[in-house]
């Protein structure tokens, strides 16, 4: 595994994979132009819009607030559609209660220990919002910002270009970071995310998407019967604050071994110290493929009851698997059901948590003149 390269890929090197590489879902007819509608209004009067996209049998709605995937619908083996992502039906709940449902995450996905890091001899203190640590960019990360959105159609693909400029010092991060994220629905029904960012000062960047998946349908109950396979023979153990220790530990002989397909609930209640720290699974897998110039397969998730299957491919070296441990029955979702522990899971493609403080981890440093690029593809079958 290449542990030294940064995901800074020039232009076409970040180009995607063909649908055949990761599996395709549905019909191959092109979609129509995305449709914009008002979703709600923030307290300061800012309007939040919803964009509806459909292509290749996949349907999704995206909000300008947080770049949030508010719903994503695909059919089951009988052709019956269901929304397979958790979320809310109103902007007020997203602002007040959301545990990052469907959101774009930045500047730094996952945790940075004590909210501090040193770069080029200078120390930076970040917004602390997870105990003593900084999580997902701080108290007001990219998930809580309003993005500028441009719809597009390109050949048989449809999608959205999302733009946001994070000013120097925002949440403690150095440099003005200009971010462009592209959501594409392909003619095969794949959902592709292309991230790009530039900076005017050395900084750290780690962007990801935080969709909560339940392939049986949002609000349908536990995902412990979902079957998962991850192409990783190592993971990064954490301390009691869920910060990686720096070790790249083998998954063999642990509940974290998903090299063969197994039910998520098979080992999740084992008395393993790492599971006790996370109240379940909330860990980063070290993908065997390492950083790749093009997206390569990293994980497959399947719901046996519906037949829906999600295959993921990425350029990133890590995959954070979170088993919905902190859903506590206090949130009512878009379909009117209460979300309880284990009712969804997240599979976040990314660089490793706390990389700015772990020199042995792949670097997340971005410098002026470089372009951060990362791509993840979600393919749905039934």
């Amino acid at each position: 595994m290449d542990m030294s390269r940064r995901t800074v890929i020039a232009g076409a090197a970040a180009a995607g994979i063909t649908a055949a590489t990761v599996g395709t879902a549905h019909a191959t007819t092109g979609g129509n132009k995305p449709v914009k509608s008002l979703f709600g209004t923030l307290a300061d009067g800012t309007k939040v819009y919803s964009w509806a996209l459909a292509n290749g049998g996949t349907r999704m709605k995206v909000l300008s607030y947080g770049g949030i995937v508010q719903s994503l619908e695909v059919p089951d083996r009988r052709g019956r559609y269901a929304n397979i992502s958790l979320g809310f039906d109103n902007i007020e709940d997203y602002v007040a209660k959301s545990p990052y449902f469907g959101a774009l995450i930045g500047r730094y996905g996952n945790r940075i220990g004590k909210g501090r890091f040193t770069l080029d001899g200078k120390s930076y203190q970040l917004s602390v919002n997870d105990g003593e640590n900084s999580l997902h960019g701080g108290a007001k990360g990219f998930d809580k910002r309003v993005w500028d959105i441009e719809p597009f159609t390109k050949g048989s693909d449809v999608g959205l270009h999302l733009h946001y400029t994070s000013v120097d010092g925002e949440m403690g991060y150095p440099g003005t970071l200009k971010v462009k994220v592209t959501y594409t629905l392909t003619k095969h029904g794949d959902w592709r995310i292309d991230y790009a960012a530039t900076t005017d000062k050395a900084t750290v960047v780690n962007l990801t998407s935080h969709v909560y998946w339940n392939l049986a349908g949002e609000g349908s109950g536990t995902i412990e019967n979902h079957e998962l396979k991850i192409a990783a023979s190592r993971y990064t153990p954490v301390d009691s604050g869920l910060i990686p220790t720096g070790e790249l530990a083998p998954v063999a002989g642990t509940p974290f071994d998903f090299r063969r397909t197994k039910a998520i609930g098979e080992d999740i209640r084992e008395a393993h110290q790492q599971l006790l720290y996370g109240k379940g699974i909330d860990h980063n897998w070290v993908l065997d493929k390492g950083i790749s110039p093009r997206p390569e397969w990293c994980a497959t998730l399947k719901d046996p009851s519906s037949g829906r299957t999600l295959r993921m491919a990425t350029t990133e070296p890590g995959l954070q698997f979170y088993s919905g441990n902190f859903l506590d029955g206090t949130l009512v979702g878009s379909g009117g059901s209460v979300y309880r522990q284990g009712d969804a899971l997240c599979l976040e493609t990314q660089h490793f948590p706390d990389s700015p403080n772990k020199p042995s981890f792949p670097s997340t440093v971005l410098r002026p003149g470089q372009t951060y690029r990362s791509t993840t593809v979600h393919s749905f079958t039934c």
Side-chain angles (χ1 to χ4, degrees):
M1 172 180 174
D2 180 355
M3 296 295 290
S4 61
R5 289 181 53 226
R6 174 72 178 93
T7 313
V8 178
I9 308 169
I17 50 178
T18 63
T21 307
V22 294
T24 59
H26 317 298
T28 57
T29 56
N32 296 318
K33 186 175 180 179
V35 177
K36 179 182 180 181
S37 60
L38 182 65
F39 185 75
T41 304
L42 300 179
D44 65 0
T46 302
K47 295 185 183 303
V48 173
Y49 293 96
S50 172
W51 292 87
L53 300 82
N55 204 8
T58 299
R59 308 189 296 224
M60 66 188 301
K61 291 183 179 179
V62 176
L63 304 182
S64 56
Y65 180 82
I68 287 168
V69 176
Q70 192 256 339
S71 67
L72 193 149
E73 299 179 340
V74 294
D76 66 7
R77 62 168 64 92
R78 298 182 182 178
R80 298 173 299 187
Y81 273 84
N83 174 21
I84 59 173
S85 66
L86 271 58
F88 299 116
D89 63 2
N90 64 88
I91 190 60
E92 291 78 15
D93 282 350
Y94 278 111
V95 171
K97 303 177 182 180
S98 181
Y100 307 100
F101 283 154
L104 278 176
I105 301 297
R107 286 189 190 190
Y108 199 96
N110 221 304
R111 294 173 175 87
I112 294 180
K114 294 181 172 52
R116 296 198 297 263
F117 70 93
T118 300
L119 178 59
D120 295 339
K122 184 175 181 179
S123 296
Y124 295 93
Q125 179 62 59
L126 307 175
S127 166
V128 171
N129 62 328
D130 182 54
E132 64 179 3
N133 304 317
S134 183
L135 174 65
H136 294 333
K140 192 174 181 181
F142 290 0
D143 60 294
K144 297 176 181 66
R145 306 289 178 171
V146 176
W147 293 66
D148 293 325
I149 297 183
E150 302 172 60
F152 71 87
T153 58
K154 183 177 181 181
S156 56
D157 295 342
V158 299
L160 304 171
H161 296 304
L162 298 92
H163 299 268
Y164 177 68
T165 297
S166 176
V167 299
D168 185 20
E170 185 174 279
M171 295 294 103
Y173 287 90
T176 294
L177 191 76
K178 295 184 177 180
V179 183
K180 177 182 179 181
V181 180
T182 301
Y183 289 171
T184 303
L185 280 186
T186 74
K187 65 180 181 179
H188 303 288
D190 296 344
W191 173 38
R192 173 182 170 128
I193 312 176
D194 291 288
Y195 306 87
T198 58
T199 185
D200 62 359
K201 186 186 297 184
T203 191
V204 294
V205 186
N206 189 28
L207 307 181
T208 191
S209 172
H210 209 292
V211 173
Y212 283 68
W213 301 105
N214 186 320
L215 299 184
E218 170 273 338
S220 63
T222 182
I223 46 80
E224 289 195 6
N225 291 328
H226 280 39
E227 297 172 348
L228 179 64
K229 184 175 183 179
I230 303 175
S233 55
R234 293 176 293 174
Y235 77 109
T236 52
V238 297
D239 61 20
S240 59
L242 301 182
I243 300 298
T245 63
E247 180 186 7
L248 305 182
V251 299
T254 76
F256 302 94
D257 192 351
F258 285 88
R259 291 174 297 173
R260 65 170 179 85
T261 301
K262 70 175 182 180
I264 289 168
E266 182 173 323
D267 301 318
I268 203 167
R269 300 189 185 279
E270 189 173 306
H272 190 285
Q273 184 60 62
Q274 288 294 307
L275 295 178
L276 294 174
Y277 282 152
K279 295 182 173 58
I281 297 173
D282 192 2
H283 293 75
N284 169 69
W285 269 252
V286 180
L287 297 176
D288 291 338
K289 72 175 188 63
I291 299 169
S292 53
R294 294 176 180 269
E296 295 182 16
W297 172 77
C298 63
T300 299
L301 178 70
K302 181 177 181 178
D303 169 42
S305 65
S306 67
R308 294 187 186 94
T309 300
L310 165 63
R311 288 173 58 85
M312 297 180 64
T314 189
T315 56
E316 290 293 282
L319 179 73
Q320 184 82 9
F321 168 25
Y322 168 59
S323 58
N325 316 323
F326 298 102
L327 298 173
D328 60 3
T330 62
L331 301 177
V332 179
S334 56
S337 295
V338 170
Y339 296 151
R340 300 188 183 278
Q341 185 180 50
D343 279 357
L345 63 92
C346 301
L347 297 170
E348 304 155 60
T349 55
Q350 58 187 7
H351 271 56
F352 304 166
D354 203 36
S355 289
N357 296 311
K358 301 289 190 297
S360 62
F361 286 1
S363 174
T364 55
V365 175
L366 180 69
R367 298 186 180 278
Q370 297 178 326
T371 298
Y372 169 99
R373 296 190 189 275
S374 175
T375 298
T376 295
V377 180
H378 306 77
S379 297
F380 305 96
T381 57
C382 53

